[in-house]
């Protein structure tokens, strides 16, 4: 699919940036993709942070806790999001990296 191909192009470009490996993606093809406005940073369309917070609040109201597992029946995607937020919070605590989760959003969670 187109999405898989785009992911492969993003990965190949990272390889070029890391070690100059142009085996998967030549520099002239990077330029061609740049010229058509290819998005090198993938931002998945979908549910916003606000919507996820509301989902988490609903989960808490229903079950009395916020420990959503990635294997919770009917709540897999919320569980994956919670795992990502836990990881992002650890990154902030370890090195102050707020790239994935801002400090004001940590307070909300």
């Amino acid at each position: 699919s187109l999405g898989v191909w785009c992911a492969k192009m993003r990965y190949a470009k990272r390889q070029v940036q890391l070690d100059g490996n142009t085996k998967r993606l030549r520099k002239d093809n990077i330029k061609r993709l740049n010229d058509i406005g290819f998005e090198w940073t993938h931002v998945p369309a979908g549910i916003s942070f606000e919507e996820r917070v509301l989902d988490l609040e609903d989960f808490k109201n229903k079950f009395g806790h916020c420990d959503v597992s990635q294997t919770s029946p009917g709540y897999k995607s919320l569980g994956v999001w919670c795992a990502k937020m836990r990881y992002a919070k650890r990154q902030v605590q370890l090195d102050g990296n707020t790239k994935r989760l801002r400090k004001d959003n940590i307070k909300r969670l």
Side-chain angles (χ1 to χ4, degrees):
S1 79
L2 180 60
V4 171
W5 181 83
C6 289
K8 287 180 180 181
M9 294 302 101
R10 291 181 185 105
Y11 175 80
K13 184 178 183 217
R14 283 193 301 276
Q15 294 306 306
V16 170
Q17 291 171 328
L18 288 172
D19 58 16
N21 182 350
T22 58
K23 184 177 180 182
R24 291 191 173 126
L25 184 61
R26 296 186 329 252
K27 291 183 179 182
D28 62 314
N29 286 332
I30 292 173
K31 183 185 179 323
R32 289 177 65 197
L33 289 169
N34 284 336
D35 289 347
I36 63 168
F38 185 81
E39 290 291 332
W40 293 107
T41 305
H42 177 62
V43 178
I47 301 172
S48 71
F49 183 85
E50 300 302 322
E51 291 171 302
R52 280 300 186 194
V53 169
L54 293 174
D55 291 343
L56 186 57
E57 288 173 352
D58 289 342
F59 183 92
K60 183 178 181 181
N61 290 335
K62 185 172 184 177
F63 297 103
H65 63 81
C66 291
D67 189 18
V68 186
S69 168
Q70 294 181 47
T71 59
S72 297
Y75 296 95
K76 181 181 177 186
S77 106
L78 180 61
V80 169
W81 180 80
C82 287
K84 289 179 180 181
M85 294 301 101
R86 289 182 197 110
Y87 174 80
K89 182 181 179 203
R90 283 192 300 274
Q91 292 304 114
V92 171
Q93 291 170 331
L94 287 172
D95 59 15
N97 183 348
T98 58
K99 185 176 180 181
R100 295 183 181 178
L101 184 61
R102 296 186 330 249
K103 291 181 179 179
D104 61 317
N105 285 336
I106 290 173
K107 290 177 185 176
R108 296 184 63 213
L109 295 172

